[in-house]
């Protein structure tokens, strides 16, 4: 429906505008409440009001943009889905008025004694905001009475609901872990009746709103409803995750992580389904997911890649830590590794803007992205350790470094779609036999890579760098395991690909192994008496073998 058509339906249009106004007013109150303070006698565990304000205002802001762009059905579905979650959130926050010490809300307040806190004006503002969001959702339900322009049988309903049920499992668990005797880590099952009811309604809102949205015959309503579920889930669990990351004595639990992963997965399910269909060589005529041309997908992938690289480089420039006293902490040597990873990934992104080179460099993005994550993991560990110890909090550089992850993933999705569309429109010839020299170089690279990730790159008398064994540096170890698995899969894919594409995949492997090999020269200053461990030499050997294999494949592609 266009904006003009919407304006011609005066009652329905007015109803939808009123629902958006209610949701926007509610979001504003939800942003103001934490700023005023919801209780007297305790402060939040961290400076949470900017995050809470962003999460509260984001749904009405997105809905407003959709309305201005003539997408009323999408906006209505979004507002209605957020309204479903607001019912459980209202009851959960209402518990603060009767038994605030019984709940676990470190983003709103953190008890430091056994003396009970008392509700303040901010709590009533917060509850009023939930009421307005619920009212806006009720008005927006059913597309605010507007008839659909088109009807299309829904698909992937079962998969949407299954993923939403995982979010339910996450919301029913503990919001975080706590070693603080004053800060309880209670989940819904441990709360009084009012808090338990609100927690259960909040958890059930995920599959309920998802099922209602995904089963709609109107594609715009499906899109808006699922997007609203994702935004609502993020608004619930992100404050818990940040509290577990930065607050002293608190840690991240599995429940919010599962719910957040579900929130990130739901909106991209139709896109991923189309990608799988294209990769399997099938064609379809999905109306609500018309894909752009290969060139436009390359440009989109390049834009997200460059943005991801800029975020990484900005993370290397700005402070990773801010001392608890307010000063800037000393620079982290581990952040030096962000430079080569960010620069290399940025070069790949720029090459995607050039039509003559885009297809050639596109296969290198996956391993280039994992090279970024390997570099970021080394900088993440000391930041989390300092936050948990109460010495410092993450600085702007850390959050920018974290922001590169979703940007890079969007780049990979666009690149994958470009490859799938290109494959759909290109006749693939018979796969050629891989020459023995290429096969030998790839196998050697794989063997060297296993040793490079399994053995330390830096060592001294009292220090050994992280390896695949998750002992003192679990974040780095998890990144090493993921990088090795992806590299092995990429080597198999390279051998089964056309020579030009295989050479690009191997070139991406060179970036990954290069980041591993640079750990000593770029971060060794943090260790007294540091020397090269066997992982450094094996990483260099793996990079050299990958270069040889890429050169041989590239030469075969030009024949």
């Amino acid at each position: 429906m266009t904006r003009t058509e919407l304006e011609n339906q005066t009652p329905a249009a007015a109803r939808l505008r009123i629902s958006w106004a209610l949701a926007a007013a509610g979001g504003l109150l939800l942003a103001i409440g934490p700023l005023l303070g919801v209780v007297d006698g305790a402060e939040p565990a961290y400076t949470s009001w900017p995050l809470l304000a962003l999460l509260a205002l984001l749904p009405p802001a997105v809905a407003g943009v959709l309305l201005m762009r003539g997408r009323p059905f999408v906006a209505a579905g979004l507002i209605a889905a957020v309204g479903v979650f607001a019912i459980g959130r209202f009851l959960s926050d209402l518990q603060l008025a009767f038994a605030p010490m019984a709940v676990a809300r470190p983003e709103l307040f953190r008890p430091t004694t056994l003396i009970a806190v008392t509700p303040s004006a901010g709590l009533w503002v917060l509850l009023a905001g939930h009421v307005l969001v619920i009212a806006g959702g009720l008005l927006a339900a059913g597309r605010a009475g507007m008839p659909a322009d088109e009807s299309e049988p829904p698909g992937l309903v079962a998969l949407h609901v299954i993923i939403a049920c995982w979010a339910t499992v996450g919301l029913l668990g503990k919001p975080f872990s706590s070693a603080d005797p004053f800060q309880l880590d209670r989940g819904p099952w441990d709360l009084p009746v009012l808090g338990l009811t609100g927690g259960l309604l909040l958890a059930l809102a995920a599959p309920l709103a998802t099922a209602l949205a995904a089963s709609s015959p109107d594609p715009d309503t499906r899109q808006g409803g699922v997007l609203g579920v994702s935004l609502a889930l993020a608004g619930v669990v992100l404050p818990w995750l940040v509290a577990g990351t930065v607050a002293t004595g608190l840690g991240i639990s599995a429940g919010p992580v599962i719910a957040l992963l579900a929130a990130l997965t739901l909106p991209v399910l139709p896109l991923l389904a189309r990608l799988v269909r294209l990769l399997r060589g099938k064609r379809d005529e999905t109306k609500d997911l018309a894909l752009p041309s290969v060139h436009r997908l390359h440009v989109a992938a390049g834009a997200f890649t460059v943005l991801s690289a800029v975020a990484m480089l900005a993370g290397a420039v700005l402070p990773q830590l801010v001392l608890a006293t307010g000063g800037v902490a000393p620079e982290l040597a581990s952040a030096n590794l962000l430079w080569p990873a960010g620069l290399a990934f940025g070069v790949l992104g720029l090459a995607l803007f050039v039509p003559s080179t885009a297809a050639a460099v596109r296969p290198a993005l996956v391993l280039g992205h994992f090279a970024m994550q390997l570099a970021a993991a080394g900088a993440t560990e000391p930041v989390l350790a300092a936050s948990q110890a109460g010495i410092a909090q993450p600085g702007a550089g850390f959050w920018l470094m974290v922001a590169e992850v979703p940007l890079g993933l969007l780049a990979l999705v666009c690149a994958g779609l470009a490859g799938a569309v290109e494959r759909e429109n290109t006749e693939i010839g018979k796969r050629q036999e891989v020459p023995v020299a290429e096969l030998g170089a790839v196998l050697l690279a794989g063997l060297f890579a296993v040793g490079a990730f399994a053995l330390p790159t830096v060592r001294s008398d009292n220090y050994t760098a992280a390896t695949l064994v998750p002992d003192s540096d679990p974040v780095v170890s998890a990144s090493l395991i993921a990088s090795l698995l992806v590299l092995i899969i990429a080597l198999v894919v390279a051998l089964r690909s056309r020579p030009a594409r295989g050479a690009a995949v191997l070139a991406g492997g060179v970036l990954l192994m290069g980041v591993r090999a640079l750990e000593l020269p770029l971060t060794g200053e943090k260790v007294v008496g540091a020397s090269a461990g066997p992982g450094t030499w094996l990483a260099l050997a793996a990079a050299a073998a990958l270069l040889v294999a890429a050169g041989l494949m590239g030469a075969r592609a030009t024949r």
Side-chain angles (χ1 to χ4, degrees):
M1 175 176 289
T2 64
R3 189 182 307 172
T4 302
E5 291 171 325
L6 175 61
E7 290 172 350
N8 290 335
Q9 300 185 34
T10 306
R15 183 179 175 184
L16 181 53
R17 292 193 187 99
I18 293 173
S19 71
W20 176 83
L22 289 171
L28 185 60
L29 293 182
L30 292 175
I32 294 174
L35 181 59
L36 296 176
V38 298
V39 296
D40 292 324
E43 297 292 332
Y46 62 99
T47 307
S48 60
W49 70 263
L51 175 63
L52 297 177
L54 174 64
L55 295 174
L57 295 173
L58 188 58
V62 174
V65 171
L66 291 168
L67 283 174
M68 288 189 294
R69 297 190 61 182
R71 302 295 301 276
F73 291 177
V74 183
L78 189 156
I79 295 171
V82 174
V84 174
F85 280 83
I87 299 173
R89 298 189 69 177
F90 172 80
L91 293 177
S92 296
D93 288 345
L94 185 59
Q95 181 69 70
L96 294 172
F98 300 99
M101 298 294 285
V103 302
R105 299 295 297 276
E107 72 276 14
L108 296 179
F109 74 98
R110 180 175 186 173
T112 55
T113 68
L114 294 177
I115 301 175
V117 297
T118 56
S120 63
L123 175 60
W124 310 116
V125 174
L126 194 69
L127 294 174
H130 289 313
V131 171
L132 291 179
V133 172
I134 294 170
L138 290 174
L139 276 179
R143 298 182 303 276
M146 293 179 292
D149 286 340
E150 56 183 334
S151 180
E152 182 182 300
L156 301 176
V157 177
L159 189 55
H160 277 93
V161 174
I162 289 172
I163 293 175
C165 287
W166 277 106
T168 297
V169 173
L171 292 175
L172 290 176
K174 291 185 178 297
F176 49 85
S177 61
S178 176
D180 183 350
F182 299 112
Q183 176 61 76
L184 304 176
D185 56 355
R186 290 180 170 178
W189 304 109
D190 305 316
L191 298 177
V193 175
L194 191 59
L196 171 61
T197 304
L200 292 178
L201 289 177
L202 186 60
L204 293 175
L208 176 61
T210 301
L212 292 175
S215 61
S216 171
D218 176 43
D220 279 357
T221 302
R222 293 200 296 266
Q223 181 182 356
V226 172
L227 180 58
V229 171
S230 294
L231 292 176
L233 282 173
V236 173
V237 302
L238 276 178
W240 298 341
L241 291 171
V242 174
T245 301
V246 304
T248 306
L250 304 185
I252 295 175
S253 63
V257 175
I258 294 173
L260 182 61
L261 290 176
L264 296 175
T265 304
L266 282 172
V268 300
L269 275 181
L271 200 61
L272 293 176
R274 180 68 184 274
L275 176 59
V276 170
R277 286 193 291 269
L278 291 174
L279 289 174
R280 293 176 62 186
K282 295 183 179 180
R283 297 174 182 268
D284 60 12
E285 302 296 333
T286 307
K287 295 180 181 179
D288 57 344
L289 194 59
L291 293 176
S293 65
V294 173
H295 173 66
R296 289 186 176 181
L297 287 170
H298 280 157
V299 171
F304 285 124
T305 301
V306 171
L307 288 174
S308 179
V310 168
M312 177 70 90
L313 295 175
V317 173
L318 297 175
Q320 290 277 318
L321 283 171
V322 177
L323 296 177
T325 56
V328 177
E331 293 184 3
L332 299 178
S334 54
N336 294 336
L337 206 55
L338 304 180
W339 284 100
L343 290 172
F345 202 58
V347 170
L348 291 178
L350 293 175
L352 288 171
F353 289 106
V354 182
S356 59
T357 62
V361 303
R362 185 186 65 232
L365 278 185
V366 174
L367 291 178
H369 178 70
F370 272 86
M372 294 258 286
Q373 309 324 306
L374 185 59
T380 299
E381 191 67 37
V383 174
L384 295 182
S387 298
Q388 290 291 332
I391 302 171
Q393 288 190 352
F398 175 81
W399 296 118
L400 283 169
M401 182 183 70
V402 171
E404 63 83 16
V405 178
L407 293 172
L409 290 176
L410 288 172
L412 295 185
V413 170
C414 292
L417 286 171
V421 173
E422 184 181 69
R423 179 178 176 179
E424 186 182 47
N425 297 330
T426 304
E427 185 175 347
I428 306 297
K430 185 179 180 181
R431 189 166 64 90
Q432 302 176 5
E433 292 289 333
V434 179
V436 176
E438 293 179 19
L439 180 61
V442 171
L443 291 177
L444 278 177
L447 291 174
F448 291 146
V450 171
F453 288 115
L455 298 173
T457 55
V458 182
R459 61 184 179 184
S460 68
D461 294 338
N462 301 314
Y463 175 81
T464 300
T467 61
L468 296 178
V469 181
D471 44 20
S472 59
D473 296 326
V475 175
V476 179
S477 296
S479 180
L480 292 174
I481 294 171
S483 297
L484 178 59
L485 292 176
V486 171
L487 178 62
I488 292 174
I489 294 172
L491 294 181
V492 175
V493 171
L495 291 174
R496 298 177 61 86
S497 302
R498 288 173 288 172
R501 301 292 183 264
V505 172
L506 297 177
V510 174
L511 296 180
L512 180 61
M513 299 314 304
V515 169
R516 180 66 173 159
L518 287 172
E519 184 174 350
L520 173 65
L522 293 182
T523 69
E525 63 185 74
K526 67 182 179 181
V527 181
V528 178
S531 62
T536 296
W537 305 115
L538 289 170
L540 289 172
L546 288 169
L547 274 175
V548 171
L552 292 173
M553 281 194 179
R556 180 157 61 96
T558 59
R559 295 173 190 167

